[in-house]
Amino acid sequence: MTWSLRSTSLRALASVATVLSLVAMTAGPASAKSPARTTISAHLTASTVLVKSTATVTGAVTPAGGSLVLQRLVGRTWTTVAHAKPSRTGAYVFSVRAPKTASAWSLKVIRAASSAAKAGTSATLHLHVVTKQFVVAAAAASTVTSPAATTVTGVVVPAASGTVQVQRLQGTGWIAAAAARRVGAGGTFSVAVDLPPGTWKLRAIKAYTSSVAQGTSATFTVSVSAPVVLAPPTVSTAAIPTARVGVPYATVLTATGGSGFYQWTGTGLPAGLTVSAAGLLAGTPATKGTTSFTVTVTDSAGHAATTSLSLTTAPPAGRLFGVGENTDGEIGNGGNTSLSLFTAVLGMDHVVAAAAGAAASIAVKTDGTVWTWGNNNQGQLGNGTIVASLVPLQVTALSGVTAVTASESNAYALKADGTVWAWGDNMYGEVGDGTTNNRLSPAQVSGLTGVVAISATQNNAYALKSDGTVWGWGYNLYGEVGDGTTTNALSPQQVTGLTGIKAIASGSHNGYALRADGTVAAWGNNQAGELGDGGSETMSAHPVTVLNVSQAVEISGGLNTAYARTANGTVLGWGYNGSSQLGGATASTPSTAVAINVGGAALEVVAGFESAYALLPDHTVVGWGFNSSGQLGNGGTTTGATPTAMKGVTDVVAVVAGGFATTTLLIAN
């Protein structure tokens, strides 16, 4: 009975327990959660790798935690190849060693179910294991100036289709620097990369294919400079030579700065003159007086500069006067007695230009005819004889002449067509016709066209072309031709290193050129410091810069002495000073330029035979230096260091002297 009751009691208790259990289940917590859904992302860092290299799978799992397995499909079975624990954020990395032979792998990342998360599986990844890799060679210029693009060129081996990407280093990572470009024939490529100013590290990448692994070039550096901002051009011509009514006129306008080539225009020009696109102000002036006009220069970038200039046009009638040495009739007054006061040269009115040689003189009239007088032992009168003349005779073989110059035994004429003609002594090639035969009549100087100015020295001569280049020929023992040699030149040779020149002059064994920036270049002999280069006293067959000269607008050369006139009328001189031709300078041979007080702002400075002259604003002339033949025109023959007024001639428009001439000529209205 007792077992039976106990048994009944147990059954009763079981029933109670069942009821309690049902109650407990009904009354349990309503917030209990089911396992979270697992999401797995997976990425192959490289979908193609070389055999025996490491493949990397990266990604993230949500929710974080748990253990991840990387599996590979072998046949029809997924086999575990690696395990990884994700970080607290769920990120993970698998590293898998590729096999020794080429093959194709399928991979996936899985996580088993847990109380907190359901099982998860990534998408299937496909890895190609290959036996070769692209080799990429690339290069670019190490320096580039913005805004020009940096061009990266190179080659891919093996040659393949597809694209090449150029990347630049940004912080610690590489980012695309330009759009990908297709690989060309033979695996070559060229990619233009726009980079801002700075220093950049670049590389080129050929992406993976199904059969070849990615290739990356070596890293190289490119420095990109800020854009070069060029200043606009500036008109450097400050003053232009005087013209004369009815006489062909030409002068070159100059500019500095800007970029590329210049284009010139002008407005309000004097009647009869035009400005070419190349900057040549030329024509035949029609009226006398001073005319202000405007010129504009524009560079190839479109930047322009405008300035005002003025041209003084003298009356057509120019009378010629002479003073000084006259032993050979070089004054042209019909006699041969030297004079210390000026006298008129017979028949020489309407003169527009003149020159004095060692013992002969030459002039050109408004009608373009040329006249000569004085010594003729080398044919320097150009009339076909060697007979001297005490009065001017026309050189009938010449016409259309605009300028003349003379040397020791030669004369030269510049025609309006830009050609140069010469005659006289030709021992050293002074005539410039390619021979050493003396010329009793004018012969054309070989190869010269487009000439706008000429100047002659002792045994050689120079020409300035409209393009700003300078050419020399003749005697060259001291490098006075300026072509870098000491070989006599029988025809014109270009003076080295000179461009943009706006005026030329010559000394006894020297050449001088006025640059567009107002500085002066010199070459040739230097025994008395006539190169003005600071005291080297060493000759130079190449142009050197005269020191202490700036803003010059005119130059003149004499016997081992030279002069320059600045834009404000200051006269500067350098070289030999044995006859006080530097106006009282203490140094016997100043090798840099010194200022000379001429009593006013000079309109012109001219060098003679150890003497010099300045034309003043009132159109009177002062002279100083050697005066043994009365060439200073002051009524005496005493050498003077102080510039003294020349007597007897007023309304002077030009002074004419020469480095070997002790005769002085004046052109006056």
Side-chain angles (χ1 to χ4, degrees):
M1 290 294 293
T2 300
W3 181 87
S4 179
L5 286 172
R6 185 177 296 164
S7 195
T8 300
S9 299
L10 289 173
R11 285 196 297 271
L13 290 171
S15 298
V16 172
T18 300
V19 173
L20 291 174
S21 175
L22 290 171
V23 172
M25 290 178 62
T26 301
S31 60
K33 295 181 179 179
S34 61
R37 180 175 178 271
T38 295
T39 301
I40 302 175
S41 66
H43 172 70
L44 275 166
T45 302
S47 60
T48 306
V49 296
L50 285 172
V51 294
K52 297 189 291 185
S53 65
T54 299
T56 303
V57 178
T58 62
V61 60
T62 304
S67 178
L68 300 176
V69 175
L70 179 66
Q71 291 188 333
R72 178 171 73 91
L73 183 62
V74 180
R76 295 185 178 181
T77 304
W78 289 94
T79 303
T80 297
V81 295
H83 295 81
K85 282 277 191 181
S87 68
R88 291 183 178 180
T89 62
Y92 67 86
V93 177
F94 284 103
S95 295
V96 181
R97 184 71 172 172
K100 298 179 181 180
T101 58
S103 60
W105 282 14
S106 294
L107 301 170
K108 66 181 180 179
V109 179
I110 65 173
R111 182 168 69 178
S114 68
S115 60
K118 296 179 181 180
T121 303
S122 73
T124 301
L125 307 175
H126 299 286
L127 176 67
H128 299 278
V129 180
V130 297
T131 58
K132 57 185 177 181
Q133 180 180 25
F134 286 118
V135 176
V136 182
S142 59
T143 58
V144 177
T145 299
S146 179
T150 300
T151 301
V152 179
T153 59
V155 65
V156 174
V157 179
S161 60
T163 60
V164 169
Q165 175 76 61
V166 173
Q167 298 178 327
R168 67 178 174 87
L169 187 61
Q170 181 74 35
T172 59
W174 291 90
I175 63 172
R181 293 289 185 270
R182 295 199 65 82
V183 177
T188 60
F189 63 87
S190 178
V191 182
V193 182
D194 289 317
L195 296 169
T199 300
W200 307 98
K201 290 189 179 299
L202 301 179
R203 70 180 186 182
I205 289 179
K206 175 66 177 73
Y208 300 91
T209 67
S210 60
S211 59
V212 185
Q214 174 175 295
T216 304
S217 73
T219 300
F220 50 89
T221 301
V222 175
S223 294
V224 180
S225 302
V228 176
V229 179
L230 295 175
T234 300
V235 178
S236 54
T237 298
I240 54 179
T242 298
R244 188 173 290 276
V245 173
V247 179
Y249 178 86
T251 189
V252 179
L253 303 176
T254 57
T256 58
S259 61
F261 58 86
Y262 298 138
Q263 291 281 336
W264 292 84
T265 58
T267 58
L269 296 170
L273 297 185
T274 60
V275 172
S276 72
L280 180 65
L281 176 64
T284 302
T287 58
K288 70 177 182 178
T290 299
T291 303
S292 295
F293 58 97
T294 300
V295 293
T296 299
V297 61
T298 305
D299 67 10
S300 56
H303 299 134
T306 299
T307 193
S308 294
L309 297 173
S310 62
L311 172 67
T312 298
T313 303
R319 296 174 295 161
L320 191 63
F321 298 83
V323 74
E325 182 67 39
N326 197 30
T327 304
D328 293 292
E330 47 264 64
I331 290 180
N333 65 343
N336 57 3
T337 301
S338 298
L339 302 172
S340 60
L341 292 174
F342 280 98
T343 189
V345 181
L346 295 179
M348 286 293 99
D349 52 9
H350 294 82
V351 173
V352 295
S361 302
I362 182 172
V364 57
K365 291 188 175 185
T366 54
D367 60 3
T369 59
V370 175
W371 300 73
T372 56
W373 58 97
N375 194 308
N376 196 26
N377 62 341
Q378 299 293 329
Q380 55 264 53
L381 297 189
N383 58 16
T385 75
I386 56 172
V387 179
S389 177
L390 301 181
V391 297
L393 300 175
Q394 184 178 351
V395 182
T396 57
L398 288 174
S399 62
V401 172
T402 61
V404 290
T405 187
S407 64
E408 184 174 16
S409 300
N410 296 88
Y412 302 84
L414 171 62
K415 286 190 174 185
D417 63 4
T419 60
V420 180
W421 299 73
W423 57 96
D425 189 16
N426 200 24
M427 178 181 295
Y428 304 108
E430 297 98 309
V431 172
D433 63 351
T435 76
T436 55
N437 301 321
N438 287 8
R439 298 295 182 183
L440 304 184
S441 300
Q444 186 172 355
V445 178
S446 300
L448 284 182
T449 58
V451 175
V452 296
I454 54 176
S455 183
T457 181
Q458 183 175 2
N459 295 112
N460 61 346
Y462 306 97
L464 170 63
K465 287 189 176 184
S466 59
D467 62 3
T469 60
V470 179
W471 299 72
W473 63 96
Y475 191 66
N476 199 28
L477 178 63
Y478 300 99
E480 50 263 68
V481 169
D483 63 348
T485 76
T486 54
T487 303
N488 295 342
L490 305 187
S491 59
Q493 306 298 312
Q494 186 171 357
V495 179
T496 61
L498 293 181
T499 57
I501 299 303
K502 63 179 185 178
I504 55 174
S506 53
S508 53
H509 288 287
N510 303 89
Y512 300 92
L514 177 59
R515 298 189 180 102
D517 63 1
T519 61
V520 177
W523 60 97
N525 194 19
N526 198 26
Q527 65 182 8
E530 52 265 55
L531 296 189
D533 62 348
S536 67
E537 296 185 3
T538 301
M539 57 165 276
S540 177
H542 298 283
V544 298
T545 297
V546 177
L547 301 181
N548 294 347
V549 176
S550 62
Q551 298 183 332
V553 295
E554 182 186 26
I555 52 176
S556 183
L559 182 64
N560 301 326
T561 313
Y563 303 87
R565 178 174 61 89
T566 68
N568 64 4
T570 299
V571 173
L572 303 171
W574 62 94
Y576 185 62
N577 193 33
S579 298
S580 299
Q581 57 265 53
L582 294 180
T586 56
S588 60
T589 57
S591 54
T592 57
V594 296
I596 302 171
N597 182 6
V598 299
L603 300 178
E604 183 183 26
V605 61
V606 175
F609 181 88
E610 296 190 13
S611 58
Y613 309 86
L615 176 63
L616 299 182
D618 62 359
H619 290 276
T620 61
V621 180
V622 294
W624 63 98
F626 194 53
N627 194 30
S628 64
S629 299
Q631 59 264 43
L632 295 186
N634 57 18
T637 56
T638 302
T639 294
T642 301
T644 304
M646 305 182 85
K647 298 179 179 180
V649 181
T650 59
D651 205 11
V652 178
V653 296
V655 185
V656 179
F660 282 85
T662 51
T663 303
T664 305
L665 303 174
L666 297 181
I667 302 175
N669 290 322

